[in-house]
Amino acid sequence: MPAQTRRYSILSNKPVRVRFAPSPTGYLHIGSARTALFTWLYARANDGVFILRIEDTDQNRFVEDSLQQMMRSLRWLGLEWDEGPDKGGNYGPYVQSERLEHYQKWANWLVEQGKAYRCYATPQELARAKELAEKAGKRGAGYERMHRFLSDRERARLHDERGGKYVIRFAMPLEGTTEVYDKVRGKIVFDNSELNDAVLLKSDGFPTYHLAVVVDDYLMQISHVTRTTEWLPSFPLHARIYEAFGWEQPEWVHLPVILCPGGGKMSKRKPCKSEEGETIPVSVDEYIDAGYEPEAVVNWLTNLGWSFGDDREFFYVHETIQRFNFDRINPAPAKVPLSKLKALNGEHIRAMSDERIAQELHPMLEAVYGEIDTNKLLGIIPHIKARINPMRDAVPLVKFLFAKEFVPATTEQMIPRKMDAAQVKTILQRCYDVLNNLEDFSAAAQDKHIRALVEETGLKTGQVFSPLRWATIAQEVSPPLFESMEVLGKEVSLARLRDAIQRL
RNA sequence: GCUCCUAUCGUCUAGCGGUCGAGGACGUCGCCCUUUCAAGGCGAAAACAUGGGUUCGAGUCCCAUUAGGAGCACCA
């Protein structure tokens, strides 16, 4: 192996400690949520520890309240952490801006070891160098190394001249290759000549991501570094920093990014649209607002880039924990399949207990209709659960049951095509008589007797059912007729029917 | 432009050299059920990007091309 070529591979079998490390720049992005989910799943699948760490080393990008928002979103998804800023732990603090001493200490250590150096270049000088490099058809490597090879005298002179203002840059090997090993895609080889001397410590004394992530992951004993492929280009840098410190490498897991159906990665800035022009929610909050159930979002996200096996796509998170690993991750980037979320959401609702649905629906209905009769609500749920997706679709569907004031149908609505008012009036009157005579007002009994009536009159089912439904339910879309009347009750149903007959 | 990653139905995916004349799901389209709307049942159309290798045999391995993606900051 050439002197400058190193291989980094995975040998250790340490306890699983993984972390989700967002920077508090806004809401929790759906892509970040998936990274958090996969990380959390790995921890739970391996009796590991899941850590929340805040990467707030950019003072300019800090967004007030962002941390609270993110924690709320994570908890909504059910991704509870074991160590974190609000919980503490043995490896804290868990907020990088409170860990500055570590970064400074280790950055200086690297300088002392000759593995990093102070660079006094001003932003203007760098911009100019960059411009020149671009003009020469080059980009990246080269321009920033202006202060890497200085004599002590030159360095001292610059130090005075620039008022002691400098950044610390990592001294990347100039030749050879760096081989790294990613759990998802295997060996990746980089040419060292393509790499540049990244800034580790900024002139304000704050670390860059590159320094902070390595120092913290090491100090927090992170066993598996999970992140998206955005970080693949700086993978060799991070591996080299570990090497420079003499620290054992963690395992590296680069998850594929998720894309907008229209192309490009989902961004917080640009709105993301489906091919049909429909807006695709980007933050977890937007998914909450859209009315999706947390278990559906989790189920959906789990299927994006990972597969359960057995041709199953509907499952619960406890089932995922039984079999989650990084081996089944598909390395290819994927477009968000929003229509699958809708389908999954409906499936989860249908699989929920009536009590759970009632619990979710109660406050929504109360807000619109006032006090809600729990028995009636529980009674109607079996007949609406296949018709509500998202959950709030229930609100208009049960209006006939809970609205303070019943708004009767118009006569036009009650009269089917090719029939007239007189016919409808007659048939409704006969329905009234049949229903009124019923001891047992169950849907089954109603069904039996009304069907007998249909038979007797020689009319089509729709010619009887439709006016009856309009007369008693008075909605374009409703749960099934007899079941609805059963829950409504005999008295109310008949009163509405009587009124309809009068108006015809 | 340079570096790196990726490549199976429209989309999400299964497939880790022979069991693949490629399986599932969503979506789409038929049919059935049906009082509305759903749900459900049955069925159909729909893919291994292209070209070279390797091999007795390639969707599966290698290379190139093409396409998509990511990155190239004193941002993460």
Side-chain angles (χ1 to χ4, degrees), chain A residues 53-68:
Chain A
R53 184 175 74 212
I54 304 306
E55 312 218 321
D56 60 343
T57 54
D58 184 2
Q59 300 166 296
N60 303 320
R61 296 214 306 166
F62 180 77
V63 175
E64 188 67 32
D65 204 38
S66 172
L67 175 57
Q68 293 304 323

Side-chain angles (χ1 to χ4, degrees), chain A residues 452-494:
Chain A
L453 174 65
V454 170
E455 187 83 18
E456 199 187 313
T457 58
L459 289 166
K460 288 180 184 165
T461 354
Q463 293 179 302
V464 178
F465 282 47
S466 182
L468 183 55
R469 203 175 62 85
W470 276 109
T472 55
I473 314 298
Q475 287 174 195
E476 191 84 47
V477 177
S478 78
L481 173 57
F482 302 126
E483 283 78 1
S484 298
M485 282 205 284
E486 181 185 334
V487 178
L488 235 197
K490 185 173 178 179
E491 200 184 320
V492 177
S493 300
L494 289 180

Side-chain angles (χ1 to χ4, degrees), chain A residues 121-138:
Chain A
T122 63
Q124 294 82 335
E125 283 175 323
L126 288 174
R128 171 129 186 82
K130 187 175 178 178
E131 209 175 294
L132 249 41
E134 269 172 11
K135 217 174 262 178
K138 283 185 179 177

Side-chain angles (χ1 to χ4, degrees), chain A residues 284-303:
Chain A
V284 172
D285 294 85
E286 288 171 311
Y287 283 84
I288 299 172
D289 291 345
Y292 294 110
E293 302 302 317
E295 56 263 67
V297 174
V298 165
N299 188 169
W300 175 65
L301 246 24
T302 308
N303 280 318

Side-chain angles (χ1 to χ4, degrees), chain A residues 28-35 77 258 266 281-284 287 297 300-301 336:
Chain A
L28 185 65
H29 182 88
I30 193 69
S32 308
R34 195 201 49 166
T35 303
L77 290 165
I258 63 180
M266 288 182 94
V282 169
S283 72
V284 172
Y287 283 84
V297 174
W300 175 65
L301 246 24
V336 282

Side-chain angles (χ1 to χ4, degrees), chain A residues 41-273:
Chain A
L41 281 169
Y42 192 73
R44 294 295 171 259
N46 294 284
D47 292 317
V49 176
F50 179 62
I51 297 154
L52 177 64
R53 184 175 74 212
I54 304 306
E55 312 218 321
D56 60 343
T57 54
D58 184 2
Q59 300 166 296
N60 303 320
R61 296 214 306 166
F62 180 77
V63 175
E64 188 67 32
D65 204 38
S66 172
L67 175 57
Q68 293 304 323
Q69 295 262 24
M70 286 182 161
M71 294 201 296
R72 221 181 304 134
S73 293
L74 286 170
R75 286 192 165 117
W76 182 80
L77 290 165
L79 309 182
E80 188 63 54
W81 47 98
D82 307 304
E83 297 173 21
D86 60 332
K87 291 197 133 171
N90 295 328
Y91 298 82
Y94 295 89
V95 176
Q96 287 185 330
S97 57
E98 296 168 19
R99 303 173 60 80
L100 263 26
E101 52 192 308
H102 289 115
Y103 313 126
Q104 284 157 3
K105 171 185 155 194
W106 287 107
N108 285 128
W109 186 85
L110 285 176
V111 173
E112 284 160 25
Q113 301 295 309
K115 290 169 177 174
Y117 61 94
R118 297 196 173 96
C119 170
Y120 297 90
T122 63
Q124 294 82 335
E125 283 175 323
L126 288 174
R128 171 129 186 82
K130 187 175 178 178
E131 209 175 294
L132 249 41
E134 269 172 11
K135 217 174 262 178
K138 283 185 179 177
R139 245 189 123 172
Y143 65 86
E144 84 291 351
R145 287 207 250 253
M146 51 182 78
H147 296 164
R148 178 159 171 180
F149 306 102
L150 293 177
S151 68
D152 290 347
R153 266 182 62 185
E154 284 173 309
R155 200 170 286 284
R157 185 183 58 81
L158 269 169
H159 194 93
D160 291 342
E161 200 177 290
R162 308 275 161 112
K165 205 170 180 190
Y166 60 84
V167 300
I168 292 180
R169 285 182 186 274
F170 187 66
M172 279 298 285
L174 302 171
E175 294 170 335
T177 60
T178 299
E179 278 185 20
V180 287
Y181 186 89
D182 172 55
K183 263 269 184 198
V184 177
R185 55 214 92 219
K187 186 174 86 172
I188 305 172
V189 184
F190 292 83
D191 228 318
N192 291 156
S193 60
E194 298 288 344
L195 276 15
N196 50 208
D197 294 353
V199 172
L200 298 181
L201 201 71
K202 299 184 250 184
S203 55
D204 62 3
F206 275 64
T208 59
Y209 171 83
H210 303 119
L211 207 222
V213 75
V214 170
V215 168
D216 285 345
D217 283 345
Y218 173 72
L219 294 179
M220 293 182 183
Q221 293 292 295
I222 299 302
S223 59
H224 298 69
V225 171
T226 53
R227 31 141 85 148
T228 53
T229 52
E230 300 167 75
W231 296 109
L232 232 30
S234 46
F235 189 177
L237 202 217
H238 300 157
R240 287 290 184 180
I241 297 174
Y242 267 92
E243 179 196 49
F245 282 130
W247 296 337
E248 189 187 353
Q249 305 264 328
E251 301 218 34
W252 305 89
V253 185
H254 289 92
L255 305 171
V257 291
I258 63 180
L259 272 24
C260 251
K265 77 169 180 179
M266 288 182 94
S267 134
K268 281 183 186 175
R269 292 236 161 141
K270 285 183 231 157
C272 175
K273 303 254 188 200

